[in-house]
Amino acid sequence: MQENRLYNRREVLEPMLHTSFAPYEDFLVEYVRNPERNDMKVQHYHDTYEFYLQMAGERTLILNDICYTLRPGDLYILKPFEIHYTESRGSEYYERYVINLSTSFLRILLTEGETRLLLDKLESCVLHLSPEQAGEALDCFRKTERYHKRTGFLAGKLVCSSILQLLLFLTELTEKAALPDILEGKSIQPEIVTVIHYINRHYQENLSLEEAAELVHMSRYHFCRLFHEATGATFLEYLYNVRLAKVHQFLLTTTLPLSDIAAKCGFASTAHLSRVFRAAYGMSPRSFRKTALPGQASKKP
C-alpha cells in the first residue's frame, strides 16, 4: 500500500538496489560448496558473460519468466545484462562453479573481431549435460581456477587459453545436430509473467504498483506476495533493475547525454537517474562512463 502511494512521487522513492548489479572487473572464477540455504537478496545482472556449472545438490534459477531446477550436470550461459535470480528451494546444500568473463579479457589472445565471432555464437540458455560432457566442462572450470592462482607473465594467457577451451566446447555442443538436452523450466504464474512482460515493454513509462495489480485483476497485497515469490524482488525493485540495466547499456554503448538516457529509461530527470544510479553502483553515471569509456566520456555531457 505504502509502496504505491510513495511511487507516485518518482523523485522521492528510490528502492534499495545495492545488490541489483554484481560487478566484476574482467574475470572471476569461483567454486562454492554451501551446506546452508542461500538466496540472493534480489534479482540482479552482470555486465559480463556468466557460465555456471551445478556440481551437487539443487539450485533454483529464475531467468526471464521461467523457473529452472538446476541439478548436477546442469550448466547455464548468461549473456551480459540478463536479469536473473537464484535461490535454495528443494535442497539447501549445493556445489557449483561459476565464471564471469568480460569480452575484453579474451583479447589477451584474440582480436576484437575474433572475440565477437566466438561469443556471438552463444545465447543465454540452460543445458543438461551428459556425465561425459559435465566431466569435460568441470575439467575446464578447474583448470581455469588452477591457472588463475598462478603468477608470472604467462598466467593471464594460460587462464585465457583454458577459457577458450570451455567456450569452444560450449559452441560445439550447441552447433552439433545432437544437442545436449535443453533444460525445461517451469513457467511462472501467468499473471506474473504478464506483468514481467509489461515491465520489459513499458519500463520507460511512469508505471505504478497499482497499475500492475489492476492489469492482472489482483489486489495489491496478493500481487506483491506472488510477485516476490516468483522473482525474489518487489515490483519496484524489479522495475528499477530493468531500468538500470538499460541505463548501463546506454552508458557503455552510446555517447547519448544523460538527459536523453534518463528519458529513454523511465527516470523523471537527470538528477533522479543519478541518485538511483549512485545508490546501485556506488558512483555517478558520468563517473561510470568516464571510467568505462575514457575516450568517449568527453564527447558528450
Side-chain angles (χ1 to χ4, degrees), residues 101-295:
L101 175 72
S102 72
T103 57
S104 60
F105 184 79
L106 292 177
R107 292 175 195 161
I108 296 173
L109 293 180
L110 301 181
T111 66
E112 183 176 353
E114 289 169 338
T115 300
R116 189 183 307 113
L117 183 64
L118 179 60
L119 292 177
D120 282 352
K121 295 179 180 180
L122 297 175
E123 295 294 335
S124 297
C125 62
V126 184
L127 306 173
H128 180 69
L129 307 183
S130 69
E132 295 77 16
Q133 292 166 341
E136 187 171 347
L138 181 57
D139 286 345
C140 291
F141 278 87
R142 285 175 170 165
K143 187 187 299 183
T144 301
E145 182 184 36
R146 188 166 64 251
Y147 287 158
H148 188 52
K149 293 177 181 178
R150 292 191 179 186
T151 58
F153 73 100
L154 288 178
K157 290 185 177 182
L158 287 171
V159 172
C160 193
S161 68
S162 64
I163 292 173
L164 285 177
Q165 183 180 350
L166 174 64
L167 295 178
L168 291 171
F169 166 71
L170 293 176
T171 55
E172 286 174 2
L173 280 181
T174 55
E175 287 176 349
K176 284 180 180 178
L179 291 173
D181 294 334
I182 302 295
L183 191 65
E184 291 188 1
K186 179 181 178 182
S187 295
I188 296 172
Q189 189 166 333
E191 291 84 353
I192 303 304
V193 173
T194 296
V195 173
I196 290 173
H197 289 175
Y198 189 77
I199 290 173
N200 290 336
R201 289 194 301 268
H202 300 279
Y203 62 87
Q204 69 274 25
E205 301 173 13
N206 184 14
L207 304 182
S208 69
L209 170 61
E210 184 176 41
E211 178 184 354
E214 288 177 354
L215 179 68
V216 291
H217 310 292
M218 291 184 183
S219 69
R220 286 175 293 179
Y221 173 79
H222 187 51
F223 170 75
C224 287
R225 182 175 61 82
L226 292 181
F227 191 89
H228 190 272
E229 286 178 359
T231 67
T234 68
F235 169 77
L236 284 178
E237 286 172 337
Y238 193 95
L239 173 61
Y240 271 77
N241 287 343
V242 170
R243 287 173 171 170
L244 284 175
K246 301 298 182 182
V247 170
H248 193 152
Q249 287 179 284
F250 276 122
L251 290 173
L252 288 178
T253 60
T254 77
T255 57
L256 286 173
L258 293 185
S259 57
D260 287 0
I261 294 176
K264 288 178 178 292
C265 297
F267 292 94
S269 66
T270 301
H272 184 209
L273 165 60
S274 297
R275 195 159 52 245
V276 175
F277 191 94
R278 185 183 291 275
Y281 294 86
M283 65 174 70
S284 70
R286 285 188 174 87
S287 296
F288 178 86
R289 173 178 267 171
K290 185 176 180 180
T291 301
L293 302 170

Side-chain angles (χ1 to χ4, degrees), residues 30-40 52-59 86-97:
E30 181 182 61
Y31 164 75
V32 167
R33 180 180 182 274
N34 199 326
E36 300 177 354
R37 183 180 183 88
N38 179 34
D39 298 341
M40 288 182 177
Y52 176 109
L53 178 65
Q54 187 78 16
M55 298 167 57
E58 291 184 0
R59 191 81 173 143
T86 62
E87 66 178 13
S88 301
R89 285 192 181 179
S91 170
E92 295 185 357
Y93 167 77
Y94 68 94
E95 291 182 50
R96 56 84 166 158
Y97 259 109

